[in-house]
């Protein structure tokens, strides 16, 4: 992917910020919440790139999104 790690994080944090309700649903293991967030992340990256993402690029996006969500979940008050 031609975007830097910092730029990817900024893009994914924007997705997380824009979809707080779905993030909270993901934290509560609500079915479909991960798929929604993963899809929104891919769409955001596709818009940034101006073209479809390769399979490898999608996996990078999903992996980093999962890491960021997991970090947020660990920091969230019980």
């Amino acid at each position: 992917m031609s975007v830097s790690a910092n730029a990817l994080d900024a893009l994914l944090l924007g997705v997380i910020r824009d979809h707080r309700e779905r993030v909270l649903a993901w934290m509560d293991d609500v079915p479909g919440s991960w798929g929604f967030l993963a899809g929104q992340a891919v769409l955001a990256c596709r818009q940034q790139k101006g073209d479809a993402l390769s399979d490898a690029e999608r996996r990078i996006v999903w992996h980093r999104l999962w890491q960021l969500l997991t970090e947020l979940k660990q920091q969230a008050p019980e």
Side-chain angles (χ1 to χ4, degrees), residues 2-78:
S2 62
V3 65
S4 72
N6 288 339
L8 177 60
D9 281 2
L11 196 61
L12 296 177
L13 289 171
V15 169
I16 290 169
R17 181 191 62 244
D18 293 345
H19 301 286
R20 288 178 183 256
E21 289 181 18
R22 296 291 181 125
V23 170
L24 293 174
W26 176 83
M27 288 181 181
D28 288 335
D29 298 320
V30 174
S33 55
W34 166 250
F36 176 85
L37 292 167
Q40 292 300 308
V42 168
L43 286 173
C45 289
R46 181 180 179 167
Q47 285 180 328
Q48 174 97 10
K49 182 180 179 184
D51 196 9
L53 292 139
S54 69
D55 287 342
E57 289 171 327
R58 276 194 304 278
R59 285 188 199 104
I60 290 167
V61 169
W62 293 334
H63 177 74
R64 186 59 186 143
L65 178 62
W66 189 268
Q67 286 178 321
L68 292 170
L69 288 170
T70 300
E71 289 172 15
L72 282 174
K73 190 173 184 177
Q74 290 171 347
Q75 296 170 2
E78 298 274 334

